[in-house]
Amino acid sequence: MDSLRAVDLLLVEDNPDDARFVDRLITEHQTALERSGRDAAVSIDSVEHVDRLSAAIERVESEPPDVVLLDLTLPDSAGLETIDRLVDRAPSVPIVVLTGHDEGELGVDAIRCGAQDYLVKGSITAELLLRTIGYAIERARTQRQLLDRNHRLALLNRLVRTDIRNDLSMVVGWGDQLRSGVDPRDEPALEALLEAATHTLELTDTAAELMDVLAADIDVEREPCDLVAVLETELDRLRQEFGDAVAVDRTALPDEPVVVSASPTLGSVFAQLLSNAAVHTDRSTASVTVALETTVDRTTVVVADDGVGISDSQKHLLSDPDARFDADSGMGTGLYLVTTVLDLLDGDLEITDNHPRGTTVSVTLDRVR
């Protein structure tokens, strides 16, 4: 945040002494900084004081301030409900709670209710106050940007999942009906058209899954997942999609559940890895082997194929946690989905050469016992 920005502050405090103390801290500190020539974390341009929550709500609805310092014990409201009521009327205005009790649990609960931070009245210093206000404003701005990003992703998601997918499905459907009546000379062009449309349809599914992951919170809510059941589901889908074009060896999968810490997005990881193993081959029938290797704390899924293999540079890119998807990276959308999901789940990805040919991909996840 720009340190020279002038901030409009609303102080909601029914104790006149506490209100005067806060105002004096701000005035004296900013005066001292001006005399010394130093910059403040934030510059308070104006302080408006009200002693009722109703007055604060009226103010934020008519002319929202840059930040609110909010006491939780007011004549017309008390406790965490005070935050709830103010956030409900002005969700984008950052709130710093003022409390007379040094209770860490209260501060955590205040932040969960929508406050950006909290200060204990008896230990407030001018520097701490201004720094906290500055951080609160910046955090609120960042949160608004994330909300805007997620909103745009949701709109794009709907466009991809509904509008584009529906039109592509119609292209594939009508094109398939043309097979019986097309001139034999035009059959190669029709098959190429259908192949491209079908591939694009598959890409819309991958893009939609990726947008779901990107729109989620960084701290993905995890839950116990039966890894064997996830793999069996994706292997069944692989067989339905490719039929006899892929031969899968799943004999190394255990019969009993293996529970890992994951999320519902885990299936998309193995859907991509299995599909890649089936597609990237120069054989009439791709051979894929799936196995589990389990230790006390972690479980590794090993997917091995006999396809065309992956270059060393591509292996390094896919195993690099700092790699990003762009036009020059050489990483496809599906593999970027894999690396993104595993990063959110604290999973490890290792890619090595299979012997005598092909690729072995290992995905390691934390067990739940």
Side-chain angles (χ1 to χ4, degrees):
M1 186 180 68
D2 188 350
S3 62
L4 299 179
R5 176 184 171 187
V7 169
D8 177 19
L9 169 66
L10 176 63
L11 173 60
V12 188
E13 172 63 70
D14 68 321
N15 187 316
D17 291 336
D18 287 342
R20 282 192 292 269
F21 174 69
V22 170
D23 190 60
R24 187 173 68 251
L25 279 180
I26 293 172
T27 302
E28 292 179 354
H29 187 65
Q30 292 195 155
T31 301
L33 287 174
E34 290 174 1
R35 289 174 178 172
S36 66
R38 293 185 292 123
D39 289 333
V42 66
S43 175
I44 306 298
D45 183 57
S46 66
V47 179
E48 180 178 347
H49 173 221
V50 297
D51 60 2
R52 298 288 192 277
L53 180 62
S54 57
I57 290 175
E58 183 178 348
R59 172 66 160 81
V60 298
E61 288 185 330
S62 61
E63 188 179 353
D66 294 309
V67 65
V68 175
L69 284 181
L70 179 66
D71 182 28
L72 293 186
T73 307
L74 299 170
D76 58 346
S77 183
L80 297 174
E81 180 187 353
T82 309
I83 305 173
D84 291 334
R85 291 172 61 187
L86 190 58
V87 168
D88 183 59
R89 299 300 185 90
S92 63
V93 176
I95 298 171
V96 175
V97 166
L98 294 174
T99 175
H101 307 283
D102 189 5
E103 299 178 5
E105 185 176 345
L106 174 63
V108 172
D109 288 339
I111 292 172
R112 286 174 178 166
C113 287
Q116 292 295 334
D117 212 331
Y118 76 101
L119 292 168
V120 180
K121 292 181 180 179
S123 59
I124 297 176
T125 64
E127 185 174 354
L128 175 62
L129 174 62
L130 293 177
R131 184 169 65 246
T132 301
I133 289 173
Y135 289 167
I137 293 173
E138 182 64 15
R139 279 194 293 269
R141 184 189 66 82
T142 302
Q143 287 177 354
R144 287 194 298 272
Q145 289 179 336
L146 289 174
L147 287 173
D148 290 342
R149 183 205 67 172
N150 286 347
H151 177 66
R152 290 192 293 270
L153 280 173
L155 292 176
L156 182 59
N157 200 343
R158 186 175 64 186
L159 176 67
V160 169
R161 273 197 162 102
T162 304
D163 300 337
I164 295 178
R165 203 180 197 290
N166 287 346
D167 286 350
L168 281 171
S169 297
M170 186 175 295
V171 170
V172 173
W174 282 107
D176 193 54
Q177 291 188 33
L178 290 174
R179 275 197 170 104
S180 59
V182 72
D183 189 301
R185 292 172 298 179
D186 295 327
E187 286 181 359
L190 177 61
E191 292 301 325
L193 175 65
L194 285 172
E195 183 179 353
T198 302
H199 178 63
T200 306
L201 197 57
E202 294 170 355
L203 288 178
T204 62
D205 291 335
T206 302
E209 291 178 352
L210 180 57
M211 283 185 283
D212 285 342
V213 172
L214 295 177
D217 291 336
I218 292 301
D219 294 325
V220 173
E221 184 175 348
R222 304 183 198 180
E223 59 189 45
C225 294
D226 181 1
L227 184 56
V228 176
V230 171
L231 288 170
E232 292 288 1
T233 298
E234 297 307 327
L235 285 169
D236 288 342
R237 289 180 182 175
L238 184 74
R239 184 178 66 251
Q240 292 174 8
E241 181 178 357
F242 291 93
D244 295 336
V246 59
V248 178
D249 180 357
R250 61 174 83 183
T251 56
L253 290 180
D255 295 328
E256 66 277 3
V258 176
V259 182
V260 296
S261 176
S263 77
T265 59
L266 181 60
S268 62
V269 169
F270 297 111
Q272 291 296 329
L273 294 179
L274 291 170
S275 178
N276 282 342
V279 168
H280 295 121
T281 183
D282 53 2
R283 299 174 182 266
S284 58
T285 300
S287 177
V288 180
T289 301
V290 182
L292 276 184
E293 299 174 357
T294 303
T295 65
V296 175
D297 298 319
R298 309 203 83 192
T299 295
T300 299
V301 180
V302 181
V303 179
D305 64 61
D306 64 348
V308 296
I310 299 178
S311 66
D312 290 340
S313 60
Q314 186 80 342
K315 291 193 198 79
H316 174 73
L317 176 68
L318 295 173
S319 302
D320 182 2
D322 296 323
R324 293 294 180 264
F325 176 80
D326 57 48
D328 300 323
S329 67
M331 183 188 295
T333 308
L335 290 177
Y336 181 64
L337 171 64
V338 170
T339 59
T340 301
V341 172
L342 290 180
D343 184 50
L344 294 175
L345 297 178
D346 292 329
D348 295 327
L349 179 68
E350 183 181 5
I351 301 174
T352 58
D353 291 330
N354 194 16
H355 296 289
R357 57 172 287 168
T359 302
T360 299
V361 180
S362 301
V363 173
T364 304
L365 299 159
D366 292 330
R367 287 189 66 187
V368 176
R369 295 186 299 156

